[in-house]
Amino acid sequence: MKGNWYRRMLLSYFPIFLFTVTILIFLSFIVVNDISHKETVKADRITTDYMADRLTRSLKGIEMDVLEEVDKNDRYRDFLNVGLTGENSQVLFDVVDSMRTLTDNDSLLDSIYVYRHEDKQVLTRSGLVEWEKFADRRFIEQALAHPDNHGWSTVRLYHEFSTEKDKRVITIYKREPLPFGTEGLVVINVDMYSVEQMIRSMNNSDISFVDVSDAFGAMLFSTRSADRTGVEAADGKVLNRVPLELTGWTFESGIVAGQLFMWVSVISYVWVVIGLLTVVFAILYILYITRKNYKPIRVMMNRVESIQLREDAFGLKMDELSMIDRTLESLIQQTADFEKQ
């Protein structure tokens, strides 16, 4: 009988214990994943901020290096004087050599050229180019129409000669002589392909991705593989958006397996509610099963109370088991006295 009662009690409480513990373990797993997700977002943000900051510093460095060279090198100012250039061709060679040195020292810098307003001549790394033969003259016309624009242009196509292939560049220009001259322009072009390669070198495409869009929302480039670009829903979820104020671009980054984090974030709160309901259910179930298992004891107590025993026995404050024990002891004593009699 003792073994049967033990098994009954064990089978009554043990399932709810296992169920509750299982739910709590699963909730712990969800919480750990949620924490992991937040830490991943934080780490991704740090990486994206670093990319944007490095590109910003690189563009500012290019601008400062070129303008410093133009300001300190008197040959650039001499080039703006048509008469002096005609008398001394060495001015052209010195300016070209300076521009070549600048472009060779920075992998992002594609090209530099100087426009002379007096006779509409353009000096590039390849030499002096007449206005009619210069392929980028439309951009110069736009720059002359907005001489006070100090920011970087949108991504555009650039080539010096009609026989060359187009390159994607971003451009900034300054009036000459610096800072507010009206005799010409110095134009600085940054190669977009080199910018993309720099961003890709800081990103592991198997783990994360970076999409770069312009101020109008158009995609400039992405570190995703060619067969994945444009299928964000299947390839990853954007976790961070970092604006690049210098160019107006926006860096959107995330984890390639972002759908897992999205699934966890959606169900995490649902499972918290389920966990709370499970605890409430466990409490109610324990109360119910305890009440059910207590019924036999309650029946015995009713029978014990119906037995006429001495008043001092019931005057003591005792629990059910103590009372049953006291009653059984009294009955045994009475039985023994009866047998002796």
Side-chain angles (χ1 to χ4, degrees):
M1 184 64 67
K2 183 178 179 181
N4 292 336
W5 181 260
Y6 173 78
R7 285 194 297 269
R8 180 179 177 183
M9 295 293 292
L10 185 62
L11 294 176
S12 297
Y13 293 105
F14 200 66
I16 192 63
F17 170 76
L18 290 179
F19 181 68
T20 304
V21 170
T22 302
I23 291 296
L24 293 177
I25 291 175
F26 187 78
L27 285 176
S28 301
F29 172 76
I30 294 295
V31 171
V32 169
N33 274 275
D34 189 57
I35 295 174
S36 176
H37 176 225
K38 292 179 180 179
E39 292 300 319
T40 301
V41 172
K42 186 185 296 185
D44 180 76
R45 177 76 184 197
I46 293 173
T47 302
T48 308
D49 284 339
Y50 172 73
M51 292 180 185
D53 180 67
R54 181 177 173 183
L55 180 58
T56 298
R57 288 187 286 107
S58 296
L59 293 178
K60 287 183 178 180
I62 290 173
E63 180 182 355
M64 294 302 297
D65 290 344
V66 173
L67 295 183
E68 184 179 2
E69 173 66 16
V70 172
D71 184 53
K72 292 182 176 180
N73 193 336
D74 293 334
R75 289 303 192 180
Y76 286 90
R77 190 175 290 105
D78 294 341
F79 169 72
L80 300 177
N81 189 328
V82 177
L84 181 61
T85 305
E87 294 176 359
N88 186 4
S89 60
Q90 185 63 36
V91 172
L92 300 180
F93 293 112
D94 291 342
V95 174
V96 169
D97 183 65
S98 173
M99 291 190 294
R100 287 178 176 175
T101 300
L102 287 171
T103 54
D104 291 341
N105 290 338
D106 199 308
S107 59
L108 297 184
L109 186 57
D110 175 77
S111 58
I112 307 170
Y113 64 82
V114 182
Y115 166 75
R116 186 168 60 193
H117 186 66
E118 184 176 352
D119 58 354
K120 290 188 174 182
Q121 295 290 309
V122 180
L123 183 62
T124 69
R125 290 179 301 171
S126 302
L128 198 63
V129 183
E130 296 180 1
W131 175 255
E132 292 76 11
K133 295 181 180 180
F134 188 59
D136 201 38
R137 58 181 180 272
R138 180 175 297 179
F139 179 79
I140 296 179
E141 292 173 350
Q142 295 176 352
L144 293 174
H146 304 87
D148 296 325
N149 185 6
H150 302 297
W152 290 90
S153 70
T154 57
V155 178
R156 67 187 189 93
L157 299 178
Y158 165 76
H159 60 273
E160 293 181 6
F161 305 102
S162 57
T163 56
E164 291 182 337
K165 293 183 179 180
D166 288 332
K167 290 183 178 180
R168 296 171 71 239
V169 298
I170 55 174
T171 306
I172 192 171
Y173 57 87
K174 299 293 180 180
R175 293 189 290 176
E176 272 206 281
L178 298 175
F180 306 113
T182 58
E183 300 176 25
L185 295 172
V186 56
V187 181
I188 307 169
N189 295 315
V190 169
D191 185 15
M192 276 298 296
Y193 177 77
S194 298
V195 171
E196 293 178 20
Q197 293 304 113
M198 184 184 73
I199 299 298
R200 291 181 188 277
S201 67
M202 294 184 287
N203 174 258
N204 187 340
S205 59
D206 294 331
I207 299 176
S208 60
F209 66 88
V210 177
D211 297 334
V212 181
S213 56
D214 61 16
F216 305 100
M219 179 74 72
L220 296 179
F221 68 91
S222 174
T223 60
R224 309 180 198 226
S225 58
D227 57 338
R228 291 179 176 177
T229 304
V231 288
E232 176 182 327
D235 189 46
K237 180 178 180 292
V238 173
L239 300 179
N240 291 291
R241 288 180 172 86
V242 177
L244 191 69
E245 296 181 0
L246 191 65
T247 59
W249 297 352
T250 300
F251 283 65
E252 296 182 340
S253 61
I255 305 301
V256 173
Q259 290 299 317
L260 173 61
F261 293 122
M262 183 175 65
W263 176 80
V264 171
S265 63
V266 169
I267 69 170
S268 60
Y269 295 107
V270 176
W271 277 105
V272 169
V273 174
I274 292 176
L276 294 176
L277 293 177
T278 300
V279 173
V280 173
F281 171 75
I283 293 174
L284 295 176
Y285 178 80
I286 291 174
L287 292 175
Y288 166 76
I289 203 66
T290 303
R291 185 181 181 88
K292 182 178 180 181
N293 291 336
Y294 179 72
K295 282 184 178 181
I297 299 177
R298 182 69 262 179
V299 171
M300 286 189 291
M301 281 301 302
N302 292 335
R303 293 180 179 179
V304 168
E305 291 174 355
S306 65
I307 299 175
Q308 297 296 327
L309 297 175
R310 291 189 307 232
E311 291 183 1
D312 59 346
F314 289 98
L316 300 176
K317 292 183 179 180
M318 295 180 293
D319 57 20
E320 290 90 341
L321 294 179
S322 297
M323 186 175 292
I324 293 173
D325 180 68
R326 182 69 176 269
T327 303
L328 289 176
E329 183 180 354
S330 178
L331 291 175
I332 292 172
Q333 185 64 39
Q334 291 181 18
T335 302
D337 294 340
F338 179 75
E339 290 179 352
K340 289 180 180 180
Q341 185 179 356

